[in-house]
Amino acid sequence: MVEHHPFVELRLHEDAPLRDAARDLAAGEFEHLVLTSPRAVDALLAGGSGLVIPPGVIVTVVGEGTASALRSAGRQPDRIASGSGAALVGEFPAAASPGTRVLFPSSAAAAPTVPEGLAAKGYQVAQVVAYSPHPADLDPQVTDSLRTGGYAAVVLTSSMIARIAAQIGVHPSTRVITIGDPTTAQARTAGLTVHRQADAPTDRALAEAVLAVLADPGPAGPEPADPEPADPEPAEPDSSAPDPEEDPS
């Protein structure tokens, strides 16, 4: 039996900076729009006037989940990056002219990967907070089961979730599966044993990792081949991963 218990909730921001950014986007003040989570789309829509993206704006998203949310809002993405903020930065060529403007509505806890990476390529990035992660209220039965071995496996899909799981306590018999390098690094830093990391930050890859671990638990999995620093948010690699629990970029 599979149970889904979100360890975090993402709360949308609907304040003046976000409304101003959406207005400037509609007015053609940006050449690019970067979206790393469905929640960023939701936040832009929450202003009440809809999401207006002029035809000339190039929209780059991370993951099919974000792409789907954007399509539901009436716009096709121009580019879909897979896996992480680093992959998104890799989709961008050097800026055609210095100061080409990019709007990046992000989590309040977003890692600097996207803005720093794009700035290094000559873009002027306007980052505005669209949503914030907060620990969710968990049923005491869930936390007790996690501590006492009531679950055969637990899937961690962000660095923040890894920290919360470690604070609760994970029984040694429970197999730990992670969504990507930052989550793996944070889980190990917090003292958890990671038994397997998904091959990609997607639902399918996570499911395959869980099935593989339960079929043949074996020793803890190897260190990531090229680990990134643990990032402080559930931010957004492939947003087809269970929302809102996404690995940070």
Side-chain angles (χ1 to χ4, degrees), residues 7 135 146-147 160-170 186 190 192:
F7 279 26
L146 189 61
R147 282 193 294 262
M160 183 175 181
I161 291 169
R163 289 194 295 272
I164 293 172
Q167 289 166 3
I168 294 170
V170 178
Q186 182 59 61
L192 299 178

Side-chain angles (χ1 to χ4, degrees), residues 218-240:
E223 295 288 333
D226 185 19
E228 304 172 23
D231 292 321
E233 71 146 330
E236 290 78 37
D238 185 340
S239 298
S240 64

Side-chain angles (χ1 to χ4, degrees), residues 151-219:
Y151 296 113
V154 60
V155 177
L156 307 178
T157 54
S158 82
S159 299
M160 183 175 181
I161 291 169
R163 289 194 295 272
I164 293 172
Q167 289 166 3
I168 294 170
V170 178
H171 193 271
S173 68
T174 300
R175 319 308 285 181
V176 176
I177 296 93
T178 59
I179 194 173
D181 288 350
T183 302
T184 297
Q186 182 59 61
R188 287 175 171 152
T189 297
L192 299 178
T193 297
V194 176
H195 298 87
R196 195 174 186 94
Q197 177 178 306
D199 292 336
T202 64
D203 285 337
R204 179 184 294 275
L206 283 168
E208 290 174 349
V210 172
L211 292 174
V213 163
L214 294 182
D216 181 19

Side-chain angles (χ1 to χ4, degrees), residues 135-146:
D137 291 328
L138 290 169
D139 187 321
Q141 185 174 348
V142 173
T143 57
D144 288 345
S145 293
L146 189 61

